[in-house]
Amino acid sequence: MEKTSRADHRHDAAAQRLRFIPPSRAHLACELPAPFPELLDQLTYATLDDCQQCRPVLLDRVADDARATLELVLWACFITSETYCGIPSQLVAGDEASDVPFRASATFRTLARQYGAHGRIKDTVCIHRTAAQRREAADTAVTLVAGLSRWSTDFLHQ
């Protein structure tokens, strides 16, 4: 896999104890063009590695593409729904205490509400977001999956 820009290292599954399959191996709703499947995987691995050098660059690149962001959010919603037998209220309501360790972004909450209600997210909901909103949603999605990978169902209840 190619190195990410401004990084002298790579992130991959070899160093991870993955609980979930990476986004490129998930049954994504569409075929994403290169390099997005690899970017989603790299973002996942960089998040699991807590790499502050690669993660911001990868988040920016993913957020530039509405479809890639949507697929990342769908992947996270599917994993979350399977883990908790639905989308937990903490991920859609936004009324949790200010000192919680994980808070979903407003954009992610909107998309997760749609997923929870319909099992899908309308493409147009994500496409009409700004790059900054898509970045927040992508950040929430990948942080959520990394947290569930590390702490399982305890992640949202820490």
Side-chain angles (χ1 to χ4, degrees), residues 47-63:
T47 301
L48 286 165
D49 286 343
D50 197 26
C51 181
Q52 297 307 310
Q53 179 181 1
C54 296
R55 202 165 177 280
V57 174
L58 292 164
L59 276 169
D60 289 341
R61 290 184 67 195
V62 168

Side-chain angles (χ1 to χ4, degrees), residues 1-4 10-13 24 37-39 41-42 45:
M1 202 168 285
E2 261 181 48
K3 291 182 181 178
T4 59
R10 297 185 326 171
H11 300 277
D12 59 34
S24 69
E38 294 80 17
L39 282 175
D41 287 0
Q42 284 288 303
Y45 301 142

Side-chain angles (χ1 to χ4, degrees), residues 89-105 109 140 143-144 151 154-158:
S89 63
Q90 299 99 306
L91 297 179
V92 295
D95 59 358
E96 62 274 351
S98 60
D99 62 345
V100 296
F102 177 78
R103 179 183 303 276
S105 71
R109 287 194 308 267
T140 297
T143 301
L144 176 61
W151 295 290
D154 290 342
F155 178 62
L156 293 180
H157 308 288
Q158 294 183 39

Side-chain angles (χ1 to χ4, degrees), residues 7-153:
D8 58 356
H9 60 276
R10 297 185 326 171
H11 300 277
D12 59 34
Q16 307 297 331
R17 290 185 352 182
L18 295 177
R19 173 172 279 199
F20 308 108
I21 61 171
S24 69
R25 294 197 192 131
H27 296 288
L28 300 177
C30 73
E31 291 292 322
L32 289 173
F36 289 107
E38 294 80 17
L39 282 175
L40 296 180
D41 287 0
Q42 284 288 303
L43 176 57
T44 301
Y45 301 142
T47 301
L48 286 165
D49 286 343
D50 197 26
C51 181
Q52 297 307 310
Q53 179 181 1
C54 296
R55 202 165 177 280
V57 174
L58 292 164
L59 276 169
D60 289 341
R61 290 184 67 195
V62 168
D64 282 342
D65 187 88
R67 192 74 196 163
T69 304
L70 178 62
E71 293 302 325
L72 187 64
V73 171
L74 283 168
W75 176 70
C77 285
F78 175 78
I79 289 170
T80 302
S81 185
E82 290 293 306
T83 300
Y84 293 105
C85 296
I87 301 292
S89 63
Q90 299 99 306
L91 297 179
V92 295
D95 59 358
E96 62 274 351
S98 60
D99 62 345
V100 296
F102 177 78
R103 179 183 303 276
S105 71
T107 302
F108 183 89
R109 287 194 308 267
T110 299
L111 299 172
R113 261 192 302 278
Q114 262 202 19
Y115 184 90
H118 307 290
R120 62 182 180 83
I121 301 169
K122 287 184 181 178
D123 294 353
T124 56
V125 173
C126 198
I127 290 169
H128 295 295
R129 302 286 179 187
T130 65
Q133 290 171 319
R134 289 193 305 266
R135 189 182 194 283
E136 287 177 355
D139 185 24
T140 297
V142 76
T143 301
L144 176 61
V145 173
L148 292 172
S149 290
R150 289 185 185 122
W151 295 290
S152 189
T153 56

